[in-house]
């Protein structure tokens, strides 16, 4: 989450966690050749699919856990069946970072599964999961909202392009993870994994929304290189929609001298000329879907704010078309609950005055249905401060574990949110390495609950025009041996 605005609350939590064993590391352990299958997680549950990940490892001569490449096997069947679970995926190709996605499931049905490698059943990586519930191997597929699928939007954030050490809070705490020698910089690996994933036919993404912290320090080189890579995926302002994060803000120093100078300050903005001006709201009409991008960054610091001119623009837009289906995104979370539950503390989110104004505007704008934020590097839905029918959704970082994005599938009668990890081999390897961040607590903080990551909301979104799609063939409910899977090693 960066070094900015490290609170005493965060330091206390990290000091307490420092006495805990680091995930994946053992002291004075005896030599063992026994392979363990661990860190089993249900990542995605949609209406017709489930995605599962786990890792395999063994202790080396000095007791350190090392990845071990072995086979991948998944058994899955209806939870109410007394028959042995049929094997729906089996791959002898060795890998230590296992990912299996099974499709062809029935909406609204309970299933159970077992993941195995070398005959060993995969288990959760921790006995205590806090708010996570991945210790269970049962799940129910979602039931999509009624009506046609009209649009699919990918929600992602916190790439930190140009970063060299992931998870480093302050330099005196040894929590950072570096890329392995000889491999490409991890932000580039994760960006390419994201862009290739959301272009895949099974994701069928129409628009990519990136909610800030796209660069590490907003330097000229980081900003230019990132823009060049995004331009290859799609057109900025139509296919790709962005907002600024605190890591993208203007800076003081020789590195940024070539950027646009902000009047009355010593700050230069190198990110803005490549993307969007500072503290400027941008609104996009995507065939009836209004998407509003907010710049919630402060000039110095990690907290969030919205200046008067930008807030007035938001007020006018929502007043003029209060019923239009509207998705809003900005880097900083908005709710009081988010401020009280993230590692950075209350000062890490949008300030209380601006958050209260946003809630008031949403209360008078029934078309606003979802507010997407990044910044906290976790998957979480938080309660609004006032009773407004808006979902406040935080999506975890793309640059580190769990290294994914949320798909927002819009139907005429509502929407479905599903979280997906990137699927390239290099991305899976890096995600597993960064799972050990925060003294081994990264997974418990960042992954979030299954319900936070995957859920359905009923709303009237019939005002959004459907993008023409190939007519799907009529398919009857599959028998269980007809389930099929796609694995990425």
């Amino acid at each position: 989450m960066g070094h900015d605005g490290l609170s005493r609350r965060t330091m206390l939590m990290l000091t307490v966690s420092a006495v805990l064993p680091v995930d994946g590391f053992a002291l004075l352990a005896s030599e063992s050749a026994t392979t363990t299958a661990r860190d089993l997680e249900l990542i995605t549950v949609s209406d017709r699919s489930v995605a599962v990940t786990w890792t395999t490892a063994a202790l080396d001569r000095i007791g350190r856990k090392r990845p071990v490449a072995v086979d991948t096997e998944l058994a899955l069947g209806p939870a109410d069946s007394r028959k042995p679970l049929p094997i729906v995926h089996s791959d002898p190709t060795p890998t230590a970072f296992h990912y299996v996605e099974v499709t062809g499931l029935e909406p609204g049905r309970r299933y159970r599964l077992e993941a195995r490698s070398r005959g060993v059943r995969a288990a959760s990586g921790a006995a205590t999961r806090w708010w996570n519930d991945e210790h269970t191997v049962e799940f129910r597929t979602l039931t999509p909202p009624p009506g046609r699928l009209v649009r699919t939007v990918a929600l992602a954030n916190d790439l930190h392009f140009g970063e060299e050490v992931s998870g480093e809070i302050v330099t005196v705490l040894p929590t950072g993870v570096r890329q392995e020698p000889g491999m490409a910089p991890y932000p580039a690996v994760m960006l390419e994994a994201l862009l290739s994933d959301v272009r895949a036919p099974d994701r069928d993404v129409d628009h990519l929304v990136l909610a800030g912290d796209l660069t590490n320090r907003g330097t000229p080189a980081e900003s230019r290189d990132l823009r060049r890579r995004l331009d290859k995926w799609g057109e900025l302002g139509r296919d790709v929609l962005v907002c600024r994060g605190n890591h993208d803000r203007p800076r003081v120093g020789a590195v940024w001298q070539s950027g646009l100078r902000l009047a009355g300050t010593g700050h230069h903005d190198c990110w803005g000329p490549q993307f969007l001006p500072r503290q400027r709201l941008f609104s996009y009409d995507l065939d009836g879907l209004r998407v509003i991008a907010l710049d919630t960054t402060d000039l110095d610091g990690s907290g969030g704010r919205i200046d008067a001119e930008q807030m007035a623009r938001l007020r006018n837009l929502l007043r003029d078309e209060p019923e239009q289906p509207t998705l809003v995104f900005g880097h900083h979370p908005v709710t009081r609950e988010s401020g009280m539950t993230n590692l950075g503390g209350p000062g890490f989110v949008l300030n209380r005055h601006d958050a209260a104004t946003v809630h008031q505007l949403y209360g008078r704008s029934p078309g606003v249905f979802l507010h997407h934020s990044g910044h906290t590097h976790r998957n979480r839905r938080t309660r609004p401060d006032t009773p407004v029918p808006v979902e406040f959704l935080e999506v975890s970082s793309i640059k580190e574990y769990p290294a994914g994005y949320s798909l927002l599938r819009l139907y005429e009668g509502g929407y479905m949110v599903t979280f997906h990890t990137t699927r390239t081999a290099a991305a899976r390897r890096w995600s597993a390495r960064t799972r050990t961040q925060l003294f081994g607590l990264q997974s418990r903080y960042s992954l979030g609950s299954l319900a936070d990551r995957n859920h359905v909301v009923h709303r009237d979104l019939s005002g959004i025009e459907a993008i023409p799609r190939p007519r799907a063939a009529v398919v009857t409910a599959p028998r269980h041996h007809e389930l099929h899977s796609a694995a990425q090693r």
Side-chain angles (χ1 to χ4, degrees), residues 348-426:
F348 204 62
V349 302
L350 192 67
N351 69 62
R352 289 298 84 210
H353 177 271
D354 292 342
T357 303
V358 168
H359 277 78
Q360 291 172 3
L361 297 179
Y362 289 174
R364 298 193 292 264
S365 308
V368 179
F369 62 90
L370 189 143
H371 187 117
H372 161 220
S373 304
H375 198 44
T376 57
H377 294 205
R378 64 179 182 176
N379 292 306
R380 189 172 176 118
R381 287 186 294 174
T382 60
R383 296 185 302 272
D385 299 346
T386 61
V388 296
V390 177
E391 175 176 340
F392 292 89
L393 178 68
E394 299 166 33
V395 178
S396 62
S397 168
I398 192 65
K399 78 175 180 75
E400 62 196 6
Y401 175 92
Y405 57 94
S406 289
L407 282 186
L408 177 65
R409 297 196 187 277
L410 304 176
Y411 295 78
E412 292 173 317
Y415 62 87
M416 179 166 60
V417 173
T418 54
F419 179 76
H420 302 261
T421 59
T422 51
R423 295 179 285 183
T424 68

Side-chain angles (χ1 to χ4, degrees), residues 141-369:
T141 52
L142 302 177
T143 300
R148 295 178 301 166
L149 173 67
V150 295
R151 201 159 298 248
T152 300
V153 181
L155 308 177
N157 41 262
D158 293 276
L159 173 63
H160 292 216
F161 193 80
E163 186 179 83
E164 296 181 353
V165 182
S166 181
E168 183 178 61
I169 305 299
V170 292
T171 55
V172 296
L173 294 176
T175 61
V177 180
R178 293 181 179 272
Q179 179 63 290
E180 297 170 275
M183 299 191 70
Y186 63 83
V189 168
M190 305 314 291
L191 174 61
E192 293 307 314
L194 169 67
L195 297 182
S196 63
D197 215 57
V198 294
R199 271 291 184 234
D202 60 339
R203 300 297 184 248
D204 198 22
V205 169
D206 302 305
H207 310 283
L208 173 61
V209 170
L210 299 173
D213 276 5
L214 307 186
T215 63
N216 185 42
R217 297 191 301 157
T219 66
E222 290 171 356
S223 303
R224 286 194 304 267
D225 195 7
L226 177 63
R227 176 64 191 271
R228 178 179 58 81
R229 292 170 186 251
L230 291 177
D231 282 346
K232 292 181 179 179
W233 192 88
E235 180 181 335
L236 188 68
R238 186 192 66 185
D239 307 310
V240 182
L241 309 179
V242 305
C243 72
R244 189 192 300 260
N246 56 293
H247 278 258
D248 309 313
R249 69 183 188 272
R251 306 272 183 149
V252 176
V255 174
W256 297 272
Q257 289 291 326
S258 63
L260 178 67
R261 180 168 182 174
L262 301 186
T265 76
H267 295 72
H268 290 79
D269 185 8
C270 301
W271 189 92
Q274 296 294 329
F275 294 100
L276 302 173
R278 180 178 175 272
Q279 276 292 325
R280 188 81 61 83
L281 177 153
F282 282 81
S283 178
Y284 307 92
D285 190 333
L286 306 177
D287 302 315
L289 170 65
R290 178 169 55 190
V291 181
I292 296 177
L294 298 174
D295 183 343
T296 59
T297 61
D298 206 345
L299 188 57
D300 292 297
S302 60
R305 62 182 294 269
I306 300 175
D307 68 11
E309 182 179 350
Q310 187 177 192
M311 191 71 81
R313 173 70 172 146
L314 177 63
R315 180 180 294 106
N316 292 337
L317 279 172
L318 297 181
R319 180 196 60 203
D320 293 343
E321 296 287 347
E323 303 283 346
Q324 184 174 2
T326 300
L327 163 67
V328 182
F329 71 103
H331 187 61
H332 293 81
V334 175
T335 67
R336 182 176 291 106
E337 181 186 345
S338 181
M340 298 304 296
T341 58
N342 80 85
L343 283 179
F348 204 62
V349 302
L350 192 67
N351 69 62
R352 289 298 84 210
H353 177 271
D354 292 342
T357 303
V358 168
H359 277 78
Q360 291 172 3
L361 297 179
Y362 289 174
R364 298 193 292 264
S365 308
V368 179
F369 62 90

Side-chain angles (χ1 to χ4, degrees), residues 28-54:
L28 304 178
S30 60
E31 180 180 355
S32 173
T34 302
T35 299
T36 60
R38 56 202 301 271
D39 303 332
L40 174 66
E41 287 167 339
L42 296 177
I43 297 295
T44 309
V45 175
S46 75
D47 55 335
R48 293 188 176 274
S49 68
V50 62
V52 188
T53 63
W54 71 95

